[in-house]
Amino acid sequence: MRRQLVAGNWKMHGSLEANSSLLQALVAAAPAACDVAVCVPFPYLAQAQQLLAGSSIALGAQDCSMHEQGAFTGEVSAGMLREFGCGYVIVGHSERRSLHGEGDAAVAAKAERALAAGLIPIVCVGETLQQREQEQTEAVIGLQLDAVAHLLGRHAARIVLAYEPVWAIGTGRSASAAQAQQVHAFMRARLGHRGVDAGSVPMLYGGSVKPDNARELFAQPDIDGGLIGGASLKAADFLGIVDAARSH
Ligand code: PEP
């Protein structure tokens, strides 16, 4: 059975002081009965590792290198993330794809490095508004999934997929529960056709999830939790979303 996961993506937000209050509030609430993770900026990994020690909240990062080590100035390897207690790493977030030109092959290579280092990659896929309006959603997501299907074939339960429609990220305009479910069902069917044990793959929805829409999204049969941006920066909102996941 797939467990629900709620993962926060802090993006480039935070400070030592703000992180400390946020993480202390999350730890004090001791969320259980669903998996919870926070993906923090690299410089705050050590701080977050220390504050989360002994809690059930997992630590994650927001990207990793496709290389194991070497002359790659500015990059951070999956092995380094593991040393700082990370259990998860986001790869292929739409902001990395659009702002840093990361394509499907790079995303797959990063996911493979993450797996080799013992991390669970959270692989993001999603269509732009223009692609949706041109009815290319399934074609776009199909290709993004095909790039990681070989990895999912070997590690179906050790990779998390996150469907994040680009038009819903940070816009306050979430996909409806029906729209999100439709894409998640398509994703399972597509992976099934590629020989993946698609029923074992955890699939999150991300894009303007808030406490007041989380319950309906997480109630969908193919949605196993959420990847949360803006709302993961406020303890009450993030815990409200965790609470919605817990009830499924
Ligand atoms: C994200 O960036 O992964 C995300 C889902 O952001 P938001 O929740 O702010 O839309």
Side-chain angles (χ1 to χ4, degrees):
M1 213 186 98
R2 304 185 304 265
R3 273 171 68 83
Q4 296 261 326
L5 166 66
V6 176
N9 172 15
W10 288 7
K11 310 195 189 197
M12 200 173 71
H13 292 291
S15 66
L16 289 172
E17 197 181 332
N19 306 343
S20 177
S21 347
L22 175 55
L23 291 173
Q24 281 176 37
L26 299 184
V27 168
C34 84
D35 293 332
V36 178
V38 287
C39 298
V40 310
F42 295 138
Y44 297 134
L45 284 171
Q47 181 200 20
Q49 181 184 26
Q50 198 180 11
L51 288 168
L52 294 176
S55 86
S56 60
I57 302 173
L59 181 60
Q62 301 168 18
D63 186 32
C64 68
S65 175
M66 70 173 84
H67 305 286
E68 191 176 354
Q69 62 172 17
F72 302 104
T73 302
E75 298 216 8
V76 173
S77 75
M80 293 171 187
L81 299 178
R82 190 74 196 134
E83 280 201 308
F84 281 86
C86 285
Y88 295 91
V89 61
I90 298 169
V91 296
H93 190 280
S94 66
E95 288 152 14
R96 302 284 326 165
R97 290 180 187 263
S98 68
L99 302 174
H100 300 270
E102 290 183 12
D104 291 338
V107 173
K110 289 178 177 211
E112 190 154 17
R113 283 286 170 218
L115 287 165
L119 301 175
I120 296 181
I122 302 176
V123 180
C124 301
V125 299
E127 82 287 3
T128 63
L129 186 57
Q130 191 187 29
Q131 288 163 338
R132 175 163 280 264
E133 285 172 351
Q134 292 175 351
E135 298 185 1
Q136 292 171 349
T137 300
E138 293 190 355
V140 169
I141 290 170
L143 290 177
Q144 292 172 336
L145 285 180
D146 288 353
V148 288
H150 62 294
L151 299 175
L152 283 157
R154 298 200 298 267
H155 311 278
R158 288 199 46 232
I159 299 178
V160 174
L161 293 177
Y163 167 53
E164 297 209 308
V166 179
W167 47 271
I169 296 179
T171 59
R173 176 185 169 192
S174 169
S176 69
Q179 282 173 320
Q181 166 56 27
Q182 191 178 19
V183 175
H184 280 238
F186 161 75
M187 287 164 60
R188 283 200 205 282
R190 175 81 168 213
L191 292 174
H193 288 127
R194 296 285 178 273
V196 174
D197 174 14
S200 302
V201 181
M203 290 187 188
L204 311 183
Y205 166 77
S208 298
V209 179
K210 304 278 181 277
D212 59 2
N213 62 10
R215 207 166 292 276
E216 196 187 353
L217 285 159
F218 299 166
Q220 304 305 309
D222 288 301
I223 299 182
D224 306 316
L227 182 56
I228 317 300
S232 70
L233 298 169
K234 292 189 196 129
D237 286 356
F238 191 60
L239 289 168
I241 293 168
V242 168
D243 213 45
R246 215 199 303 240
S247 51
H248 294 291

